[in-house]
Amino acid sequence: MTAVFWSGAGLVLATTLMGGGEDPPDNAHGPRAAAAVSAAPSAPAADEPATREPAARHLPRSEPTRLLIPAIDVDAPFTDLAIGSQGRLDPPPPHNTNLVGWYAEGVSPGERGTAIIAGHVDTATSPAVFARLGELDKGDRFRVLRADGSKATFVVDEAESFEKDDFPDERVYADTPDAQVRLITCSGAYDHAAKDYTENLVVFAHLV
């Protein structure tokens, strides 16, 4: 299975956020190290040997249409995210409080591999879709509605915040043999000088 690689200052995830009554950061950043994000899996070569282990549970590729997280009252549509001209993943529109984005050239939620879903924690005027993401606990479930009519249900494995200067790219973005999702937003203190939050909150989850 392949992965998309790029370099530069990092990934812009859903990080155009507001802090403490100040204006929103001009260009808040996600992880600063180069990162690898799972790409859509390709079909195995004809001469590729069959695995001896049973295939992990996963669904065929299908675009996500809506994210439902009952535990934190999230019911939000998706928008596609792409890598911009600076080699970073563009964030969702900065002033939409109820919208999540997914890396559309990568793995779709439910597909084998690691799907990336990003959302704002707040905007210039109010809390946003992932304002309560840190309240999720191990065992909480959420669903992704998909364009093919299927529903992918995920269970939370863990949630952890990481310093942006020491972001574990491999742990978060590396490809996986089963269907997993990362929900990502900003967290930590707001650095007024850098116009950026100091951490990223990542929720790790797998398909059930």
Side-chain angles (χ1 to χ4, degrees):
M1 197 174 301
T2 59
V4 175
F5 292 88
W6 67 94
S7 61
L11 288 163
V12 176
L13 296 168
T15 54
T16 305
L17 312 175
M18 183 182 73
E22 299 285 331
D23 291 334
D26 293 333
N27 187 21
H29 292 75
R32 296 181 61 182
V37 177
S38 296
S42 57
D47 58 351
E48 182 177 322
T51 177
R52 295 181 181 180
E53 297 180 0
R57 172 168 167 73
H58 64 276
L59 300 173
R61 183 171 180 81
S62 180
E63 292 188 4
T65 59
R66 202 157 195 94
L67 176 65
L68 306 174
I69 313 179
I72 56 173
D73 298 321
V74 168
D75 182 348
F78 277 89
T79 188
D80 293 358
L81 302 181
I83 297 173
S85 59
Q86 296 183 354
R88 301 170 179 167
L89 191 65
D90 291 331
H95 300 297
N96 192 327
T97 61
N98 192 48
L99 183 69
V100 292
W102 73 293
Y103 177 49
E105 293 184 10
V107 170
S108 63
E111 193 176 10
R112 187 179 64 234
T114 304
I116 304 300
I117 298 175
H120 293 289
V121 68
D122 57 15
T123 69
T125 57
S126 68
V129 62
F130 277 171
R132 298 175 57 197
L133 191 65
E135 297 177 24
L136 289 180
D137 294 318
K138 182 176 181 178
D140 285 340
R141 295 192 175 208
F142 61 90
R143 289 186 299 166
V144 175
L145 308 187
R146 300 171 7 121
D148 64 1
S150 64
K151 300 175 183 179
T153 300
F154 296 88
V155 63
V156 173
D157 297 312
E158 60 180 315
E160 190 170 347
S161 287
F162 305 101
E163 293 286 341
K164 290 186 179 181
D165 289 341
D166 191 28
F167 194 84
D169 299 297
E170 182 69 17
R171 178 178 171 192
V172 174
Y173 298 121
D175 202 3
T176 56
D178 56 347
Q180 297 191 22
V181 159
R182 308 289 184 253
L183 307 178
I184 307 178
T185 194
C186 271
S187 63
Y190 178 62
D191 184 335
H192 295 277
K195 294 187 177 182
D196 193 3
Y197 282 80
T198 58
E199 300 177 7
N200 279 117
L201 172 65
V202 181
V203 172
F204 298 80
H206 69 275
L207 184 72
V208 294

